[in-house]
Amino acid sequence: MIPIKLRIVGGGEDLLGDMNRKSANMDSLVVCFGEFLIDLVPTVGGVSLAEAPIFKKAPGGAPANVAVCVSRLGGSSAFIGKVGDDEFGHMLANILKENYVDNTGMRFDQSARTALAFVTLRADGEREFLFFRHPSADMRLHESELDINLINKAKIFHYGSISLIEEPCRSAQLAAMTIAKKSGSILSYDPNLRLPLWPSAEAAREGIMSIWEQADLIKVSEDEITFLTEGCDPYDDNVVMNKLFHPNLKLLIVTEGSAGCRYYTKAFKGRVPGIKVKAVDTTGAGDAFVGGLLSSLASDLNLFQDEKGLREALAFANACGALTVTGRGAIPALPTKQAVVDALTKYNAS
């Protein structure tokens, strides 16, 4: 076994650590933009939505998960998005506050409700989604509601593709990306494909790729590569470099679930193995990976050019994803930095 070395960055292993660390880390702020919603998850596993006897509510939404993950790992993060001016919306805002995520960029819509998503992992291993967004509050964020000062503070500005599906949120995201880029932020993109939300597969492909070349950092899964390249082999390095890598990209990451991840830059490429664990709930694993990687990059942007350091950061991110699947629910299962350190120490000792 090749030992995985750990690069510890930032401060504060404890979720309830000193709040002063936040002001100290403002120069490494990660701002996450997008959807925040209520996931309704069956209380039993391996059933379809129709077969589920009872559902339990949980906070959901990839950008918000990433923001909480960064904070829980000791970094500084903020969230920008819109929820309903309802019980669920205020509950979500409070969850961010409890996790020391800056929620001043959140907006509340008085006429649209907080989005709901029913999510289950069926017996065949496939996830099943049913969304209630007709429209939901997150889709109604206007450019005029953006917290420009908060965006300007971002060292890394992270976003997905779901906000691109409908106006006015699409224009709000494009404007936020432009503001962040002009202020010198690193643009981080996780497409996070949710095909049922798009009008068609072609619309999803076009929408996701429409902002592809603006990103400095992109994280995609194997399935997303197959979808975006219309059936090409996701394990072929030539496919990745010729179809998905663009001239301005600093780093492209391909996640492989429990197997780990691959990384591609202009100067080097490679693979970092994952940590094997007993999975209970895979929800939020990719978001935990992204949060782990962004927490490292926010503290040291030189990792883009430092392969040894990048590999250590990716081992850390892999461990974040692995630990998250050992618990139920994305945000409750996100690890602290000390838990990740302990997991990697145990892995290296085995």
Side-chain angles (χ1 to χ4, degrees):
M1 180 186 299
I2 300 174
I4 295 179
K5 295 182 180 179
L6 175 62
R7 185 187 189 92
I8 300 180
V9 295
E13 283 75 23
D14 190 344
L15 171 63
L16 300 178
D18 186 357
M19 283 294 288
N20 289 333
R21 68 190 170 96
K22 291 304 175 186
S23 58
N25 287 345
M26 282 304 290
D27 62 345
S28 58
L29 179 66
V30 177
V31 176
C32 301
F33 175 100
E35 69 280 3
F36 201 10
L37 59 147
I38 298 293
D39 282 342
L40 293 160
V41 186
T43 55
V44 295
V47 297
S48 69
L49 291 176
E51 295 167 336
I54 302 173
F55 292 90
K56 181 179 180 180
K57 73 177 187 298
N65 291 343
V66 172
V68 172
C69 184
V70 170
S71 178
R72 196 165 293 179
L73 292 170
S76 179
S77 65
F79 174 77
I80 293 177
K82 200 171 193 181
V83 293
D85 189 10
D86 50 41
E87 288 287 330
F88 285 149
H90 289 283
M91 181 194 86
L92 293 176
N94 194 52
I95 285 172
L96 293 184
K97 184 177 180 181
E98 289 172 351
N99 284 278
Y100 302 123
V101 176
D102 184 338
N103 66 2
T104 56
M106 288 186 71
R107 302 293 179 258
F108 299 87
D109 196 297
Q110 295 185 349
S111 58
R113 298 298 188 190
T114 301
L116 303 178
F118 288 82
V119 188
T120 189
L121 186 67
R122 301 189 316 229
D124 60 7
E126 291 297 317
R127 282 199 292 176
E128 184 179 354
F129 295 91
L130 180 61
F131 296 95
F132 285 78
R133 303 169 80 238
H134 306 290
S136 54
D138 61 290
M139 302 161 64
R140 294 166 59 97
L141 180 68
H142 290 261
E143 180 180 346
S144 61
E145 296 176 297
L146 293 174
D147 188 330
I148 296 175
N149 289 332
L150 185 58
I151 297 172
N152 281 330
K153 294 175 183 176
K155 188 167 189 177
I156 298 176
F157 184 74
H158 177 73
Y159 49 87
S161 69
I162 290 176
S163 295
L164 299 173
I165 299 173
E166 296 274 357
E167 292 288 359
C169 194
R170 184 184 193 297
S171 292
Q173 174 165 336
L174 295 177
M177 290 167 57
T178 299
I179 294 167
K181 194 70 172 179
K182 286 182 178 178
S183 70
S185 302
I186 292 293
L187 297 192
S188 167
Y189 184 25
D190 178 1
N192 195 36
L193 176 65
R194 293 291 179 265
L195 201 51
L197 292 177
W198 292 86
S200 66
E202 187 57 33
R205 195 175 291 111
E206 289 181 3
I208 289 171
M209 296 304 295
S210 69
I211 60 170
W212 197 262
E213 296 196 0
Q214 297 179 49
D216 299 295
L217 162 64
I218 297 175
K219 171 258 175 189
V220 287
S221 68
E222 302 157 293
D223 290 343
E224 287 167 341
I225 291 177
T226 302
F227 174 77
L228 293 173
T229 61
E230 299 187 69
C232 292
D233 182 0
Y235 301 100
D236 187 337
D237 287 346
N238 291 324
V239 168
V240 174
M241 292 302 292
N242 295 334
K243 291 184 175 290
L244 297 178
F245 202 92
H246 65 76
N248 298 320
L249 197 57
K250 298 181 186 298
L251 176 64
L252 176 64
I253 299 293
V254 179
T255 52
E256 301 178 340
S258 61
C261 66
R262 307 197 307 272
Y263 59 90
Y264 302 83
T265 73
K266 292 178 183 178
F268 49 77
K269 63 183 179 182
R271 184 176 176 277
V272 177
I275 294 178
K276 304 297 183 184
V277 295
K278 183 177 180 180
V280 174
D281 180 3
T282 59
T283 305
D287 304 329
F289 174 92
V290 173
L293 177 58
L294 295 187
S295 69
S296 297
L297 285 169
S299 295
D300 185 5
L301 292 181
N302 290 324
L303 293 177
F304 287 123
Q305 291 85 37
D306 174 10
E307 185 173 12
K308 179 176 179 291
L310 178 62
R311 290 182 62 86
E312 292 171 1
L314 291 173
F316 183 88
N318 282 340
C320 289
L323 289 176
T324 299
V325 307
T326 61
R328 292 196 179 275
I331 287 179
L334 292 171
T336 62
K337 180 176 291 183
Q338 190 59 52
V340 180
V341 171
D342 292 345
L344 284 172
T345 301
K346 182 178 179 180
Y347 176 83
N348 286 331
S350 64

